[in-house]
Amino acid sequence: MSKPTNSRYRRVHVKIWNDEKFLTFTDAGKLAFLFLLTHPHMTSMGGMRATIPGLAAELGWTEEAFREALGKAFHQAFPKGSVDGSNCVPEGMIRKDEKAGLIWFPNFATYNPPESPNVVLSWRIQSEMIPECDEKRLMIQRLSEHMKALGEAFSKAFTQAFPKALGEGSGKNTNAVQPHPSPNPEPEPEPEPEPEPEKNTVRFEELWAKYPNKAGRKEAERHFKATVKTDDDWANIQKALKNYLSSDRVEREFVQNGSTWFNNWADWIDFVEKPKTRGRVVGHAAPVKGKYDGFGK
């Protein structure tokens, strides 16, 4: 049995087997769809950098076979410049921009919503790994809608993570006649810089994604922020988690709750697994001559 190290999970709702579009796929199409949905490189934003030939090669398929399998699921990229505020409900179950190398699921956040606003803050870093293109901007607009539906805290975190994204493609008429500037215009005040996501929040999300037992997240994050304050602490907790995940007790699927481990992670910094001993039958030691052997002799 493989160790539950560096685990990331994706939710696949049982309703997928009642979805009219999904049921029109061939068996190969269903496999390819689930392959993309659970791909190791798929981010929690629902998009990833990938190419069709590369994905086909991972399955041992030809490029033609892969395209044929997902032909009904894919929707071609919008023509350049067509992304605007009035067109933010993408068609298709999967979207792609082959030139940029982006594949994403428009409804990913519906079935895999972020666990907390802190996860949304971490998307700012994740998005840097996704190529810039119209499809990426459409994906961010789509995620914005999902976060608004989740509530004020998620929407606020999204605005903090992507302060400029919502202003793009707003449908403003750039060809409108502009007023003449005054001869001596006053300099506009410089906008205040947007706060960066807290470093410890991003670091906690990175470790939490690797920890197999998700029980006690709130307490785990509190313990993390109370004990990980320097770069040395960060290096030590990474070492501790690596030691723990490779330990015999985790291999035997005895995994502490997240809140417990993050409270005692320092115990695992210098942990060394004791060598395993092979089981053997141990008999009684032979009695020493002249000594009472316990049996009246």
Side-chain angles (χ1 to χ4, degrees):
M1 182 178 294
S2 60
K3 300 179 182 179
T5 57
N6 300 330
S7 299
R8 291 190 297 174
Y9 302 92
R10 297 286 176 257
R11 298 184 182 96
V12 181
H13 203 288
V14 296
K15 289 194 299 186
I16 195 171
W17 299 106
N18 294 329
D19 187 276
E20 185 176 10
K21 294 180 182 178
F22 184 76
L23 292 177
T24 63
F25 297 173
T26 63
D27 289 345
K30 293 184 178 82
L31 172 62
F33 184 90
L34 295 174
F35 167 65
L36 288 180
L37 186 62
T38 58
H39 195 280
H41 294 166
M42 181 59 66
T43 67
S44 61
M45 297 175 68
M48 67 177 179
R49 185 186 188 116
T51 63
I52 301 300
L55 293 168
E58 288 187 59
L59 290 177
W61 294 2
T62 64
E63 180 181 345
E64 181 181 1
F66 191 87
R67 290 183 183 277
E68 183 179 353
L70 284 177
K72 294 184 179 181
F74 276 132
H75 186 288
Q76 296 296 330
F78 281 143
K80 186 174 181 180
S82 66
V83 177
D84 56 40
S86 64
N87 192 4
C88 55
V89 182
E91 299 177 13
M93 298 179 74
I94 308 173
R95 294 190 62 88
K96 62 183 171 67
D97 185 327
E98 292 197 49
K99 185 175 180 181
L102 169 61
I103 293 177
W104 68 286
F105 288 84
N107 290 323
F108 187 88
T110 301
Y111 301 104
N112 288 270
E115 293 183 354
S116 72
N118 286 336
V119 175
V120 179
L121 289 175
S122 72
W123 285 354
R124 183 171 186 175
I125 295 177
Q126 287 189 30
S127 69
E128 295 175 357
M129 301 296 105
I130 297 177
E132 296 288 343
C133 59
D134 281 348
E135 283 292 326
K136 178 179 180 179
R137 287 182 278 276
L138 185 63
M139 179 181 73
I140 292 175
Q141 289 177 2
R142 180 70 163 174
L143 286 171
S144 173
E145 292 182 345
H146 284 298
M147 296 309 101
K148 288 178 182 177
L150 289 178
E152 182 180 356
F154 288 89
S155 181
K156 184 177 180 181
F158 187 87
T159 302
Q160 183 177 345
F162 301 98
K164 298 180 181 179
L166 302 183
E168 297 179 1
S170 59
K172 293 181 179 179
N173 183 5
T174 57
N175 296 321
V177 177
Q178 302 295 325
H180 292 289
S182 59
N184 298 307
E186 295 182 2
E188 295 183 1
E190 295 185 1
E192 295 183 4
E194 291 290 336
E196 292 286 338
E198 186 182 351
K199 181 187 290 187
N200 259 17
T201 297
V202 176
R203 284 179 168 180
F204 173 76
E205 294 298 341
E206 180 180 334
L207 285 191
W208 188 250
K210 298 177 181 179
Y211 196 78
N213 189 335
K214 304 298 184 184
R217 176 196 167 88
K218 186 175 181 180
E219 288 297 306
E221 185 172 6
R222 183 173 65 83
H223 293 317
F224 176 88
K225 291 184 176 181
T227 56
V228 181
K229 298 181 180 296
T230 66
D231 288 341
D232 286 341
D233 294 336
W234 171 237
N236 283 333
I237 195 171
Q238 290 183 94
K239 179 181 178 182
L241 182 58
K242 181 178 180 181
N243 289 340
Y244 182 66
L245 293 179
S246 62
S247 67
D248 181 63
R249 67 185 65 187
V250 173
E251 187 175 16
R252 289 185 281 110
E253 299 187 353
F254 179 75
V255 183
Q256 295 178 338
N257 290 346
S259 56
T260 302
W261 189 86
F262 276 85
N263 189 35
N264 303 301
W265 63 264
D267 297 341
W268 293 88
I269 297 175
D270 299 316
F271 176 80
V272 178
E273 192 79 65
K274 294 182 180 179
K276 298 179 181 179
T277 57
R278 296 182 179 179
R280 61 182 185 276
V281 178
V282 181
H284 292 288
V288 179
K289 188 175 182 181
K291 297 284 186 178
Y292 177 69
D293 62 4
F295 291 95
K297 296 181 181 181

